[in-house]
Amino acid sequence: MDKRVNLVKLSVGTESVESLMAWQEMRRRELPEGLPRHVTRMWPKRAAEILNGGSIYWVIKGLIQCRQRILRLDELTGEDGIRRCAIVLDPELHRTNTAPKRPFQGWRYLKTEDSPADLPAGKSQEEPLPPELSQALAEIGVI
């Protein structure tokens, strides 16, 4: 199988990549295997494509800013008896080029070709665009 798909998810209440990292680190101590996870009510129908090397891309403050590789999908049953999906993640966050993303509920599929590229190792943010280019892109609705 060579098909792969990613997920995109809002990181609600997160101020920065660093605050997402800190929150996950705090929660990891309470979780089995110490692996971060995101629990959702919906089970992805495209699970095989996600598990073929997919990542979850995190939207922070309206911008996709980082991603984490998805390791597996675990079934959980809540105290209410409802089946849920725990998206188990690699602890390493990879910063990406930023990409604007409007608010949405839950998670969405993100095609590999539409996913922002990783920033080079050791780089924590993109270089700012020249002001003239930023304004021109904003005028045509790109940013």
Side-chain angles (χ1 to χ4, degrees):
M1 173 189 297
D2 60 346
K3 293 181 93 180
R4 179 176 63 208
V5 70
N6 299 305
L7 298 177
V8 63
K9 172 81 177 93
L10 299 179
S11 186
V12 178
T14 303
E15 297 295 319
S16 65
V17 174
E18 290 76 19
S19 66
L20 175 62
M21 291 167 65
W23 184 84
Q24 285 187 357
E25 185 60 36
M26 179 186 70
R27 293 275 303 134
R28 281 178 51 195
R29 293 181 218 136
E30 305 165 8
L31 298 169
E33 303 173 281
L35 294 172
R37 58 190 59 216
H38 173 72
V39 179
T40 180
R41 286 186 312 142
M42 302 302 293
W43 194 276
K45 289 179 176 35
R46 299 173 68 181
E49 293 173 78
I50 292 167
L51 296 174
N52 191 34
S55 291
I56 189 165
Y57 284 76
W58 293 107
V59 179
I60 301 169
K61 295 290 190 184
L63 297 169
I64 296 175
Q65 295 188 38
C66 62
R67 71 173 180 87
Q68 284 177 284
R69 200 167 51 84
I70 297 172
L71 300 177
R72 65 177 191 266
L73 305 174
D74 288 352
E75 184 174 331
L76 297 177
T77 303
E79 292 178 13
D80 54 8
I82 295 175
R83 175 182 178 236
R84 291 182 170 79
C85 177
I87 303 169
V88 180
L89 306 167
D90 185 310
E92 185 177 2
L93 275 100
H94 301 271
R95 291 176 187 269
T96 65
N97 290 320
T98 58
K101 193 74 176 167
R102 294 180 190 249
F104 57 92
Q105 293 281 328
W107 49 263
R108 298 286 184 264
Y109 293 110
L110 180 63
K111 295 178 186 174
T112 304
E113 60 269 18
D114 295 337
S115 302
D118 288 356
L119 290 177
K123 195 167 184 183
S124 64
Q125 62 186 13
E126 294 177 284
E127 297 296 325
L129 294 173
E132 306 80 29
L133 181 55
S134 282
Q135 183 165 354
L137 292 172
E139 287 173 4
I140 61 172
V142 174
I143 58 171

